[in-house]
Amino acid sequence: MVHPAPASQFDRGSFYRFPRCCVAPIGLLFALALAGCEKAQSQEAAPTPPLVTVAQPVKRTVTDWDEFTGRFEAIQEVQVRARVGGFVNSVEFTDGAIVHAGDLLYVIDPRPFEAVASQAQGQLDDARAKAELAKRELDRGLNLVQTSAVSVQVVDQRRQALQAAYAAETQAEGALKAAQLNVEFTHVLAPITGRVSRHLVTPGNLVQGADSGATLLTSIVSLDPIYIYFDVDEATYQRNSRLWFEGKRPSSRDTSNLVQVTLTGEIKPSHEGKMDFLDNRLDISTATLRSRAIVPNKDLSILPGQFGRVRIIGSSPYEALLIPDTAIATDQSRKIVFVVKADNTVDVRPVMLGPLDGGLRVIREGLMPEDQVIVDGLQRARVGAKVTPKKAQAPADDKAPAGARP
């Protein structure tokens, strides 16, 4: 009995019975698949150049400013002292308040001085009466001497007595004025307008007058306007002098040049003033020139002793290129910026920086107006490598009015 072969077995001879034309398409499929893999790998090996933001420098007219640290001082400062001695009756001001010239501050017991003034008044009246009597006697003597009733010697004596009486009257007048002044001085008045300090003597205490070490009662400082003193270094002074000789900058000695003041904690100047004084010599220990500006202080917000940053004009107006500070990098000791050339490759430019103006940095050397400066994406830029530049909006022209420039 013959058993048939199992259906699952593979007939080896059947492989050789496939047509040869079917082998070629299979090889072609393998080749196409391999070519596709190689193409995908080549695309991954050439990534898209990184994206950076570029902008051209801003061109505008700017003026350089020199900046110094200064300290405010009162234009007027008075130590209020007792001019007569005595017991303090009352204090007539509030500590730390604004007082005006002529306001009553202290009252010192005036009764002893009023008594002296009354005595001086009596002495003056007596001297005037004696002078009047001496004048009448002289007039009678002049009439009698014509008839030889009295001698010329008597007339001369009466004339001398009249002159002595006039002298005594003058002395009495002086004594009365001094006594009246002392009565006046018992009412201590504010000599200037300003802010008063605390009272240093309370009622009931004895104070000494000017004749025996006057007692300090309080102090007053004026606030509006106010001085700010600052020291200019020698190099800046020489540069400004050179600009003055060249007619490019007015001298602060004969011109009230504008100054801008930034207080502690402020970003932009909040006050404007004018130059008021330059010293006549440089300090030999610091090689600086003491300078002063006067600043309005209408709101009385500035107090003597405060610090401030003073900006003063340092050049005549000139055309300059400006870029954002964020576009500037540091390469060891030099400042650089990255620019994108026409073929989209990155190049580096060393630059010389100027001051900030309106939120942008002045570039003195190293850039051209048509340069495309990388302002964002510096970390993705490599010198000589290609990038994909994207135009930025025009740099914000934050240029503020003169009084609010940073």
Side-chain angles (χ1 to χ4, degrees):
M1 187 171 182
V2 180
H3 297 281
S8 60
Q9 289 185 350
F10 181 76
D11 188 357
R12 184 179 298 177
S14 63
F15 175 80
Y16 296 101
R17 289 195 292 269
F18 279 108
R20 293 183 179 274
C21 63
C22 294
V23 179
I26 294 175
L28 182 60
L29 290 175
F30 280 110
L32 290 175
L34 183 60
C37 292
E38 291 177 352
K39 184 176 181 180
Q41 291 177 356
S42 66
Q43 288 177 349
E44 292 178 0
T48 304
L51 180 67
V52 295
T53 305
V54 298
Q56 289 183 321
V58 175
K59 185 177 181 180
R60 69 172 178 229
T61 302
V62 300
T63 302
D64 288 345
W65 295 77
D66 298 318
E67 189 167 333
F68 309 96
T69 299
R71 184 189 287 272
F72 290 98
E73 291 188 15
I75 294 179
Q76 293 179 294
E77 181 176 357
V78 177
Q79 291 185 337
V80 181
R81 295 181 181 271
R83 301 181 73 171
V84 293
F87 288 92
V88 175
N89 281 353
S90 62
V91 179
E92 302 293 336
F93 67 94
T94 302
D95 292 357
I98 295 294
V99 296
H100 298 85
D103 286 355
L104 181 62
L105 302 179
Y106 282 88
V107 176
I108 299 172
D109 188 1
R111 290 174 298 175
F113 303 100
E114 290 173 347
V116 173
S118 297
Q119 183 180 3
Q121 180 66 57
Q123 291 173 349
L124 176 61
D125 294 340
D126 180 63
R128 286 174 177 172
K130 291 179 178 178
E132 181 65 25
L133 177 61
K135 185 176 184 304
R136 289 177 182 177
E137 289 182 350
L138 176 61
D139 290 341
R140 281 196 299 268
L142 291 174
N143 291 331
L144 293 174
V145 76
Q146 295 177 1
T147 60
S148 299
V150 296
S151 65
V152 175
Q153 182 180 3
V154 172
V155 172
D156 289 341
Q157 290 174 347
R158 293 180 178 181
R159 183 178 286 114
Q160 187 273 336
L162 177 60
Q163 291 175 349
Y166 282 153
E169 182 182 354
T170 302
Q171 290 178 348
E173 287 177 349
L176 177 60
K177 288 181 179 178
Q180 289 172 341
L181 278 177
N182 286 337
V183 173
E184 244 183 77
F185 293 156
T186 60
H187 289 67
V188 182
L189 307 180
I192 63 172
T193 297
R195 190 176 297 280
V196 68
S197 181
R198 64 187 179 91
H199 64 279
L200 302 178
V201 179
T202 54
N205 283 287
L206 178 66
V207 296
Q208 301 295 325
D211 295 335
S212 55
T215 304
L216 178 63
L217 303 177
T218 188
S219 62
I220 304 174
V221 293
S222 64
L223 296 177
D224 182 32
I226 193 168
Y227 285 144
I228 183 168
Y229 284 90
F230 56 97
D231 296 322
V232 177
D233 58 276
E234 185 175 359
T236 301
Y237 170 72
Q238 290 179 340
R239 173 170 54 80
N240 290 342
S241 296
R242 189 163 52 250
L243 291 173
W244 175 70
F245 281 118
E246 295 172 356
K248 297 179 179 178
R249 179 187 181 278
S251 172
S252 294
R253 290 196 183 277
D254 48 31
T255 304
S256 299
N257 284 327
L258 175 71
V259 299
Q260 300 174 352
V261 180
T262 304
L263 302 181
T264 302
E266 294 180 341
I267 300 176
K268 296 182 179 181
S270 58
H271 292 75
E272 285 190 354
K274 293 182 179 180
M275 286 298 300
D276 179 69
F277 163 76
L278 290 179
D279 210 345
N280 58 0
R281 58 174 294 174
L282 269 70
D283 189 315
I284 59 175
S285 60
T286 60
T288 57
L289 181 69
R290 175 55 59 96
S291 306
R292 183 180 74 195
I294 186 168
V295 180
N297 187 26
K298 299 295 184 184
D299 58 358
L300 309 182
S301 61
I302 305 174
L303 294 179
Q306 279 186 240
F307 283 100
R309 296 292 294 172
V310 183
R311 300 174 72 231
I312 183 171
I313 294 174
S315 74
S316 55
Y318 63 94
E319 292 291 328
L321 298 178
L322 302 95
I323 62 174
D325 244 357
T326 54
I328 302 170
T330 301
D331 181 17
Q332 294 182 350
S333 61
R334 63 176 185 169
K335 298 295 184 179
I336 59 174
V337 298
F338 294 98
V339 298
V340 177
K341 298 191 294 186
D343 60 354
N344 288 347
T345 59
V346 178
D347 192 14
V348 65
R349 301 281 178 83
V351 292
M352 181 180 295
L353 304 183
L356 279 172
D357 186 274
L360 301 177
R361 177 69 65 177
V362 173
I363 303 298
R364 299 197 186 279
E365 294 180 7
L367 280 182
M368 300 296 291
E370 63 274 8
D371 285 337
Q372 300 291 331
V373 180
I374 298 178
V375 296
D376 189 22
L378 292 179
Q379 69 277 10
R380 297 188 292 272
R382 298 291 182 270
V383 178
K386 284 187 175 292
V387 293
T388 302
K390 181 184 73 170
K391 283 279 187 180
Q393 296 180 352
D397 191 356
D398 297 333
K399 191 167 185 178
R405 227 182 276 173

